[in-house]
């Protein structure tokens, strides 16, 4: 097999139990399309190949992609795509009437970017079982008021139900990374309608403005984003303390403020 390339963030899973636990966490995929992000040397791919109705492995490393394509050449339900996941139009790979599942060991240096890429395609996805650096996973799964809660937490939980499945030590990989890795399961269920949000992109933008600077209050962040103080004062819900920071508020509270500001325009 090709040698590992540090610049691509490659740490190959070698723990036999872990690769089966990850595949098992997808559930019954016998009639589903599964997108695998960064299959690498095929530790999880080999298991999914015998379970998935259709498997699409997206691999950036040209050498690894060629090896995998050769290995599965006679398996008609398996396709290897040599491409950067961030440049891949996921919806073009998924049958129109179907929702696909996702699995992968996400490169640590672009984990957030990949998650945002998945959220953008959430209408076409069912669930995802993905591994990431433990510290990032803790941020994704954090609840309001927790020191790890921030924009990534709010955005993730706006699009998905998040479950923390298990954590792996560096020794589960070759070469071993310097950090622990955590496997999360996402069940895609965007909450915009539930929260009374009609424009998803506008609310995403509002969240970015609200969390722009962690040390600032929500009011000051929004003023920096262009909202006038009189507008904020007039629309500010009684349920939100005047000096609250975005990190302390639930998505319901953020949506309440967002709707009130829209109505005040």
């Amino acid at each position: 097999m090709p040698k590992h390339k540090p610049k691509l963030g490659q740490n190959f899973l070698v723990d036999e139990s872990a690769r089966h636990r990850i595949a098992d966490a997808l559930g019954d995929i016998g009639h589903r399309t599964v997108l695998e992000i960064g299959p690498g040397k095929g530790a999880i791919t080999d298991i999914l190949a015998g379970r998935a109705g259709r498997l699409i492995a997206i691999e950036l490393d040209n050498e690894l992609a060629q090896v995998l394509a050769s290995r599965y050449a006679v398996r008609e339900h398996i396709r290897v795509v040599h491409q950067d996941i961030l440049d891949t139009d996921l919806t073009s790979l998924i049958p129109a009437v179907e929702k696909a599942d996702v699995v992968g060991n996400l490169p640590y240096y672009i984990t957030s970017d990949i998650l945002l890429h998945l959220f953008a395609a959430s209408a076409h996805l069912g669930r995802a079982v993905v591994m990431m650096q433990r510290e990032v996973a803790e941020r994704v799964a954090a609840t309001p008021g927790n020191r790890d809660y921030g924009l990534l937490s709010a955005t993730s939980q706006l699009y998905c139900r998040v479950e923390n499945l298990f954590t792996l030590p560096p020794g589960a990989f070759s070469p071993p990374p310097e950090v622990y890795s955590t496997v999360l399961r996402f069940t895609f269920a965007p909450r915009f309608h539930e929260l009374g949000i009609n424009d998803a992109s506008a609310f995403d933008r509002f969240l970015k403005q609200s969390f722009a600077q962690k040390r600032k209050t929500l009011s000051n962040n929004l003023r920096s984003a262009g909202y006038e103080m009189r507008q904020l004062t007039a629309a500010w819900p009684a349920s939100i303390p005047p000096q609250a920071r975005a990190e302390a508020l639930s998505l319901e509270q953020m949506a309440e403020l967002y709707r009130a500001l829209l109505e005040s325009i």
Side-chain angles (χ1 to χ4, degrees), residues 192-240:
F192 295 102
H193 180 72
E194 168 196 337
L195 295 171
I197 306 298
N198 296 320
D199 188 333
S201 61
F203 188 62
D204 279 338
R205 187 164 55 252
F206 176 76
L207 288 179
K208 290 177 183 177
Q209 295 168 338
S210 300
F211 286 93
Q213 294 190 46
K214 195 174 183 68
R215 294 182 180 276
K216 282 190 173 184
T217 64
L218 173 58
S219 176
N220 283 339
N221 271 329
L222 292 176
R223 288 176 65 188
S224 296
Y227 289 91
E228 296 182 4
M229 190 62 202
R230 59 177 180 79
Q231 181 185 9
L232 292 172
T233 301
W236 205 265
S239 63
I240 301 177

Side-chain angles (χ1 to χ4, degrees), residues 52-255:
R54 184 167 174 255
L55 176 60
I56 302 173
I58 305 166
E59 175 57 57
L60 175 60
D61 187 307
N62 182 53
E63 292 179 89
L64 289 173
Q66 288 184 32
V67 170
L68 292 171
S70 177
R71 182 188 303 176
Y72 302 117
V74 298
R75 310 287 289 274
E76 294 184 358
H77 72 297
I78 301 176
R79 175 185 174 191
V80 177
V81 177
H82 172 221
Q83 195 167 3
D84 186 330
I85 182 61
L86 297 178
D87 294 330
T88 304
D89 179 3
L90 300 180
T91 60
S92 70
L93 302 176
I94 304 169
V97 296
E98 187 180 330
K99 288 193 175 184
D101 295 330
V102 177
V103 68
N105 178 12
L106 307 185
Y108 295 153
Y109 69 103
I110 53 170
T111 295
S112 295
D113 292 335
I114 294 176
L115 291 180
L116 292 176
H117 194 52
L118 294 179
F119 299 156
S122 61
H124 304 274
L125 301 176
R127 74 196 79 142
V129 177
V130 291
M131 182 155 44
M132 63 194 70
Q133 184 176 334
R134 179 172 62 181
E135 287 74 15
V136 176
E138 289 173 347
R139 286 165 50 204
V140 169
T143 54
N146 184 295
R147 64 182 178 84
D148 292 321
Y149 189 81
L151 178 61
L152 184 60
S153 322
T155 304
S156 298
Q157 293 165 39
L158 176 63
Y159 283 91
C160 317
R161 186 172 72 251
V162 181
E163 300 170 80
N164 187 321
L165 298 184
F166 57 91
T167 296
L168 295 172
F173 304 86
S174 177
E178 297 180 354
V179 298
Y180 279 69
S181 302
T182 294
V183 177
L184 298 180
R185 178 165 53 203
F186 296 89
T187 301
F188 292 91
R191 299 182 59 195
F192 295 102
H193 180 72
E194 168 196 337
L195 295 171
I197 306 298
N198 296 320
D199 188 333
S201 61
F203 188 62
D204 279 338
R205 187 164 55 252
F206 176 76
L207 288 179
K208 290 177 183 177
Q209 295 168 338
S210 300
F211 286 93
Q213 294 190 46
K214 195 174 183 68
R215 294 182 180 276
K216 282 190 173 184
T217 64
L218 173 58
S219 176
N220 283 339
N221 271 329
L222 292 176
R223 288 176 65 188
S224 296
Y227 289 91
E228 296 182 4
M229 190 62 202
R230 59 177 180 79
Q231 181 185 9
L232 292 172
T233 301
W236 205 265
S239 63
I240 301 177
Q243 297 303 308
R245 287 179 166 78
E247 293 80 6
L249 303 180
S250 66
L251 281 170
E252 288 81 1
Q253 289 173 302
M254 295 298 291

